[in-house]
Amino acid sequence: MKTNKREDLGSYLEEQRAKKLAEMGDYLRHLREEQALSLDDVASITKVPARMLNAIEEGKLEPLPEPVYTKGFIKRYADALGLNGSEFASVFPTAQVFSAKRQFWGELPAAQLKPIHLYLFYLVVIILAVTGLSQMVDRSAQQAVTPTSEKPTASKKSPQPTSDKNQDQVALVSMNSKNSSEPVRVGLNVTSDSWVRVVVDGKKEFEGTLSQGTQRTWTAKQEIVLRAGNAGGVMVAYNDEQAKKLGTPGTIKQVTFKAN
């Protein structure tokens, strides 16, 4: 009887893992497509194989490793998209719940604890985890949608295109300094986590997620191509000019800084 109850609980937890993975994977795919990133792009950032990322998006447990490692993959995926990966992945059920059961059983006198008590305890834990995940996904979805729905204000010098917010916005910026022979110099100040790619004179110099507070500078003889997944979180200073936001929060923007 005890074995049957333990097997039933294991099956229920496996079902809950599959259900939660499907919900989390669907949200991550939606956010990735909004940022115009491919699975290969995310794999390059997270160092997680693209087939594992695809399994997460499809909600398939079979190709994935043990739950504790799968939880780590989910954290890295969420971090790459600008989310708080630790918070997002914290509600994914893992096998640690079984080890917790054995420890808890060993620490309490047998006369005070019955198997039905453990069964009810873990059911309550699972219900709380499901509720927390639903609230977190709703809150994350609202945060992801709100920045892109804002209308340009009168204080902005030029309105952003509204025909397709998910397509790249490409601009050519000519060097207006007094000495046109100076190299192109671009400084970045990251005010909110953002994925960034920098190509200097045709060679990719950097690609990855920069955290809030990061400051970087690149120089080139001909041009610098800058692409950011969260344009509103990147301040750019071109050839020592006053730093300006690359774009609006939550949008992807690519800018080419080049000399005449």
Side-chain angles (χ1 to χ4, degrees):
M1 182 64 68
K2 292 181 179 179
T3 301
N4 290 338
K5 288 183 177 179
R6 193 171 294 125
E7 291 176 353
D8 290 343
L9 180 58
S11 299
Y12 181 77
L13 290 175
E14 189 74 7
E15 180 182 347
Q16 290 302 309
R17 272 195 292 269
K19 182 178 179 181
K20 293 307 112 191
L21 182 66
E23 294 176 0
M24 299 169 83
D26 184 66
Y27 177 69
L28 290 172
R29 179 176 58 221
H30 173 74
L31 192 59
R32 173 179 64 79
E33 291 174 350
E34 276 193 344
Q35 297 184 21
L37 296 173
S38 67
L39 281 175
D40 289 335
D41 291 333
V42 180
S44 176
I45 298 171
T46 62
K47 308 305 179 185
V48 176
R51 60 186 178 85
M52 295 295 183
L53 299 175
N54 183 66
I56 291 174
E57 290 188 351
E58 297 295 331
K60 296 179 180 179
L61 288 171
E62 294 79 8
L64 295 170
E66 294 297 321
V68 65
Y69 297 112
T70 299
K71 182 176 181 179
F73 289 167
I74 294 173
K75 175 185 179 300
R76 285 198 239 168
Y77 194 169
D79 282 334
L81 298 181
L83 299 175
N84 185 324
S86 297
E87 180 181 355
F88 186 83
S90 64
V91 294
F92 179 74
T94 67
Q96 293 175 352
V97 69
F98 291 104
S99 61
K101 177 180 178 180
R102 290 193 292 271
Q103 294 171 0
F104 188 65
W105 176 262
E107 291 172 359
L108 294 177
Q112 298 179 3
L113 187 65
K114 297 180 180 180
I116 187 62
H117 296 155
L118 287 173
Y119 188 79
L120 293 175
F121 172 76
Y122 288 114
L123 284 178
V124 171
V125 171
I126 293 168
I127 292 172
L128 292 176
V130 171
T131 303
L133 174 62
S134 299
Q135 294 176 350
M136 190 195 66
V137 170
D138 290 342
R139 184 169 62 254
S140 298
Q142 291 175 0
Q143 293 175 350
V145 172
T146 300
T148 59
S149 63
E150 293 179 353
K151 296 182 179 180
T153 60
S155 61
K156 295 182 180 179
K157 293 185 177 180
S158 60
Q160 298 295 328
T162 58
S163 58
D164 190 346
K165 295 181 181 178
N166 293 327
Q167 292 185 352
D168 295 345
Q169 303 170 8
V170 181
L172 294 179
V173 181
S174 298
M175 188 173 73
N176 295 319
S177 61
K178 294 181 179 180
N179 187 355
S180 61
S181 64
E182 292 181 356
V184 181
R185 183 168 57 259
V186 174
L188 263 64
N189 182 11
V190 181
T191 59
S192 179
D193 293 358
S194 175
W195 173 84
V196 173
R197 181 170 63 199
V198 179
V199 178
V200 177
D201 289 337
K203 180 181 178 181
K204 183 170 69 176
E205 292 293 335
F206 177 81
E207 181 175 358
T209 300
L210 295 179
S211 58
Q212 181 179 355
T214 301
Q215 295 182 353
R216 300 287 295 273
T217 301
W218 289 272
T219 60
K221 294 181 179 179
Q222 298 297 329
E223 66 176 23
I224 295 177
V225 181
L226 171 64
R227 180 185 176 95
N230 178 18
V234 178
M235 300 290 293
V236 180
Y238 170 56
N239 280 1
D240 296 327
E241 293 180 356
Q242 184 177 1
K244 300 177 182 178
K245 281 188 179 181
L246 187 64
T248 56
T251 62
I252 299 172
K253 188 169 183 179
Q254 178 171 306
V255 179
T256 299
F257 300 89
K258 59 191 308 181
N260 290 327

